[in-house]
Amino acid sequence: MTLTGWRRILNRVIYIPQRYVLGVLGLFALANSFTMRVCLSMTITQMVVQSQSSEHIIGETCPDPSLNSTTEVAESISNETMIIHRGRDRYDWDEATQGFLLSAFYYGYVLTHLPGGLLAEKFGGKWTLGLGLLLTSVATALTPLAVDYGGATGLFIIRVIEGFGEGPVTPAFVLLMARWVPPSERSRFGAMIFGGAQIGNIFGPYVSGLLLSDGGDWANVFYVFGGLGIIWFLFWVLLCYSTPNSHPFISDEEKEYLNKNVAASGLHKKLDPVPFKAILRSAPLWVLVMAAIGHDWGYFTMITDLPKYFSDVLKFNIKETGLMSALPYIAMYIFSFIFAGLCDLCVRKKWHSIGTGRKIYTTVSSSVPAVFIILASYSGCNRAAAVGLFIASMAFMGGFYSSVKINAMDIAPNYAGTCSAFVNGIAAISGIITPYLVGLLTPDQTIGQWRVAFWTVFAVLVGTNIVYLVWGSGEQQWWDDVDKHGYPPGWKHGPLKKRQVDKEKKIVYPKHDHSPLSTD
C-alpha cells in the first residue's frame, strides 16, 4: 500500500530506515535508564552530612589534598556549613543506611524483570518499554519531593518505584530486536542499543558532578534526568512501534524487506508453551545464572559505590568524582566492541567454538577485573594508580557482552527472551545485596575496610567464573527444540506441553511478532 498524506510526509522527513530510528531511540532509552539508575550514587554524597572523624588512623584514611593546614580545614568546614544552610537540607544517614538506599532500586527491578518480558510478549514492546521508562522518569523527577516529605523512607519507596519501571527494559528490547532486526544486522543493533547503558554510566556521573559542583542543589540532578526521560518518551511514542506491520509510515520497501528477512530467521514461528519444568532443571541455565550473578556483583559494586570511594576515601571533589567515575565506563564501552570483534572473528574462522568463546570472555570479564580491583585496593592513597587500575578493571568487563550477556541465545534460541529475563532478573539481586553489604563493611570509610569489601567482590567474581568454566555450555539445549533433540536419557518428569493446533484455522502470513495472529 502506497503511503499518502501525513504518513508520506513523515516517511520523507525521517528518511533513514525505521529500524534505525528504533535503534537510535533504543540507545537513548538505555542511556536514560542508566543515568536515572546511577544518579543517586553521586547525589547521595551531597545529600548526607559529612561528619569529621574524631580519630585519625595513620595509613588507613587519605588526607584531603586540597587542605594543607588546620586553618584551611576549619574554613572548609565553615564553608560546607554555609552551603548546607543555604541549600537543601542534608541528612544524617550512616553508611549502612546509605547502602540500603542505594540498593532500593533493585528491589523493584528484580520483581518486574520476568513479568515485564511476558507483558512485552502480550502487549508489544513499544508500550511495555515506553510506559515503564515513563514511570521511572516521573518518579526520578519527584525524588526531591519524596525526600522532603519522607526522608530516608520516602527515598527508598521512590527508588523502588523507579526499579519497577526499568525491570521490563532488557526483555522488551530483546523482543523488539527479534521483531525488527534481520539476523545479519543483530550484532550491530545489539551494540548500538545495549551500548547505551555505558553511555548512561559515562554521562550520568559526569553531568551530576557538574550540577553538584560549587554547592549546586542536589535536586537538580533528579529534575534534569527525569525531565530528559519524559522528553524521550514523547519521541518514542510518536516514532516507534512494536512491529513493522503496525508502523503507520514505514516505507513499503523496508516493510517488504523485513517481512522477507525477519520471517526467514525462524524466530517467528508459533512456539510451544515455555517449558518451565525443563528450564528449572537445566544445569547450563543455572550455571549461566551464577555467572551473571558474579558479573553483576562486581559491576553493580562499581556503578553504585565507586563514586563514594572516589569522594569519601580518595577525597576527590564532586566535579572530579563525576569525571573519574565516568572514565572506567568509557574504557568498558570501547573494549566491549574490541572483544566482540575478536570473538566473532575467532568463531567465524573456527579458531574456537561458540562455547569456548563464551568461557574465554567470561574469564576476561570476571577474573581479570577482579585482579585489577584488588590491586586498586592496595594502591592506598595513590589516586592516579587507583583510578588507572579501576579503569583497567572496567575495560576488561567489556568482555561481558561477548559472553554471559548473549549466552542465553546460544543455549535457548527459541526461548531466549524468557531465559534472558530469568537470568538477568535473578542476577540483579546482586544489586540489592552489594550496596548494603559495602555500607556495612565500610562504616568509617577507611582503606582497610574498603579492601575487605573489594576482596568480597574478588571472591564472587572468581568463584562464579570457575563454576562457569567447568559446567557452562554454548550448545542449544534439548528442551529448546524437543522435536529436534528429543528427550534426554533418564528424563522422568513427563512430556513437555505442546501447543494445540486448530486444524480449521486458516493460514495467514506472519506479522513478525512471534504470532501470525498478533494485532500489536
Side-chain angles (χ1 to χ4, degrees):
M1 182 183 69
T2 304
L3 296 176
T4 60
W6 66 270
R7 292 181 173 85
R8 180 179 176 84
I9 294 173
L10 281 176
N11 179 263
R12 290 292 180 265
V13 171
I14 308 172
Y15 59 91
I16 65 174
Q18 296 305 314
R19 63 188 184 279
Y20 284 94
V21 175
L22 177 78
V24 171
L25 283 174
L27 183 152
F28 284 114
L30 265 294
N32 277 334
S33 71
F34 270 76
T35 57
M36 292 185 288
R37 183 186 303 195
V38 305
C39 65
L40 182 63
S41 300
M42 286 289 294
T43 55
I44 201 167
T45 64
Q46 304 302 300
M47 294 171 68
V48 298
V49 176
Q50 302 293 335
S51 58
Q52 299 291 326
S53 176
S54 58
E55 297 181 2
H56 178 69
I57 304 175
I58 296 175
E60 290 200 2
T61 59
C62 298
D64 190 336
S66 65
L67 305 178
N68 298 317
S69 67
T70 304
T71 303
E72 290 185 8
V73 172
E75 290 177 355
S76 172
I77 296 173
S78 176
N79 291 337
E80 183 180 334
T81 303
M82 285 193 298
I83 291 172
I84 292 173
H85 286 296
R86 279 197 222 134
R88 246 170 227 280
D89 289 341
R90 293 196 182 188
Y91 302 89
D92 187 16
W93 298 333
D94 60 22
E95 293 299 325
T97 300
Q98 293 179 50
F100 189 59
L101 293 172
L102 289 170
S103 71
F105 174 93
Y106 296 97
Y107 285 87
Y109 183 75
V110 167
L111 290 176
T112 57
H113 215 83
L114 185 57
L118 298 175
L119 287 172
E121 289 278 0
K122 184 173 180 61
F123 298 107
K126 170 182 178 175
W127 291 109
T128 304
L129 171 67
L131 292 175
L133 280 183
L134 177 64
L135 174 63
T136 300
S137 301
V138 173
T140 300
L142 293 176
T143 298
L145 184 65
V147 176
D148 286 344
Y149 282 95
T153 302
L155 179 57
F156 180 86
I157 293 172
I158 204 74
R159 289 290 290 179
V160 171
I161 294 172
E162 292 173 31
F164 280 144
E166 284 199 23
V169 169
T170 297
F173 265 124
V174 169
L175 179 62
L176 285 167
M177 287 179 61
R179 296 180 176 186
W180 271 94
V181 184
S184 61
E185 300 178 10
R186 281 185 185 140
S187 295
R188 206 158 53 237
F189 272 81
M192 181 193 304
I193 292 174
F194 291 110
Q198 302 316 318
I199 299 296
N201 283 332
I202 292 166
F203 283 97
Y206 181 69
V207 174
S208 296
L210 295 178
L211 293 171
L212 294 168
S213 62
D214 301 322
D217 187 351
W218 56 259
N220 291 335
V221 175
F222 298 105
Y223 295 147
V224 168
F225 291 135
L228 289 175
I230 294 171
I231 293 171
W232 168 88
F233 174 76
L234 298 177
F235 282 95
W236 177 259
V237 169
L238 292 173
L239 300 178
C240 294
Y241 292 82
S242 294
T243 65
N245 284 357
S246 66
H247 199 298
F249 51 90
I250 187 174
S251 69
D252 293 337
E253 294 80 7
E254 185 180 10
K255 183 188 292 186
E256 182 180 354
Y257 170 74
L258 295 177
N259 281 341
K260 180 180 178 181
N261 289 278
V262 177
S265 70
L267 288 177
H268 304 288
K269 64 184 180 180
K270 189 74 173 180
L271 296 176
D272 294 323
V274 178
F276 281 113
K277 67 179 178 180
I279 286 176
L280 294 176
R281 292 176 173 86
S282 175
L285 186 67
W286 282 108
V287 169
L288 179 58
V289 168
M290 292 191 66
I293 289 174
H295 170 270
D296 284 3
W297 192 285
Y299 183 68
F300 288 147
T301 299
M302 292 296 101
I303 67 174
T304 304
D305 291 296
L306 196 57
K308 284 177 62 62
Y309 187 80
F310 285 151
S311 175
D312 297 345
V313 177
L314 297 181
K315 301 298 192 295
F316 284 108
N317 64 42
I318 191 63
K319 185 183 290 187
E320 293 171 335
T321 295
L323 177 60
M324 295 302 107
S325 298
L327 290 177
Y329 303 106
I330 296 175
M332 184 176 181
Y333 186 65
I334 294 171
F335 274 79
S336 66
F337 287 98
I338 295 174
F339 291 138
L342 286 173
C343 185
D344 284 346
L345 175 65
C346 292
V347 171
R348 188 167 59 250
K349 296 287 188 179
K350 300 185 185 297
W351 292 340
H352 61 60
S353 67
I354 291 176
T356 300
R358 301 295 178 251
K359 292 181 179 182
I360 289 172
Y361 288 98
T362 297
T363 303
V364 166
S365 63
S366 297
S367 292
V368 177
V371 172
F372 282 110
I373 289 171
I374 286 300
L375 291 176
S377 74
Y378 282 92
S379 64
C381 297
N382 186 332
R383 302 204 295 179
V387 171
L389 290 166
F390 280 125
I391 290 174
S393 72
M394 294 306 297
F396 281 97
M397 275 195 188
F400 170 70
Y401 295 103
S402 302
S403 55
V404 176
K405 185 69 174 179
I406 59 176
N407 192 209
M409 297 183 187
D410 303 324
I411 66 176
N414 287 318
Y415 300 99
T418 299
C419 290
S420 177
F422 182 79
V423 172
N424 292 338
I426 295 177
I429 294 174
S430 299
I432 296 174
I433 299 173
T434 54
Y436 185 63
L437 179 62
V438 170
L440 291 177
L441 293 175
T442 60
D444 302 314
Q445 295 293 302
T446 65
I447 292 175
Q449 291 171 349
W450 273 95
R451 190 171 294 147
V452 173
F454 288 137
W455 270 113
T456 304
V457 173
F458 178 93
V460 175
L461 280 171
V462 175
T464 55
N465 183 194
I466 292 172
V467 172
Y468 185 80
L469 287 175
V470 176
W471 289 289
S473 174
E475 302 296 326
Q476 184 183 24
Q477 298 302 293
W478 67 268
W479 43 264
D480 187 63
D481 194 343
V482 71
D483 293 332
K484 175 182 177 182
H485 298 286
Y487 291 89
W491 177 258
K492 301 177 182 178
H493 306 286
L496 303 182
K497 290 183 179 180
K498 308 290 286 185
R499 68 182 181 91
Q500 295 181 350
V501 179
D502 187 351
K503 297 181 179 180
E504 297 182 358
K505 185 178 293 183
K506 294 181 180 180
I507 298 176
V508 295
Y509 194 81
K511 294 183 71 176
H512 312 289
D513 50 10
H514 296 295
S515 169
L517 301 178
S518 178
T519 58
D520 60 358

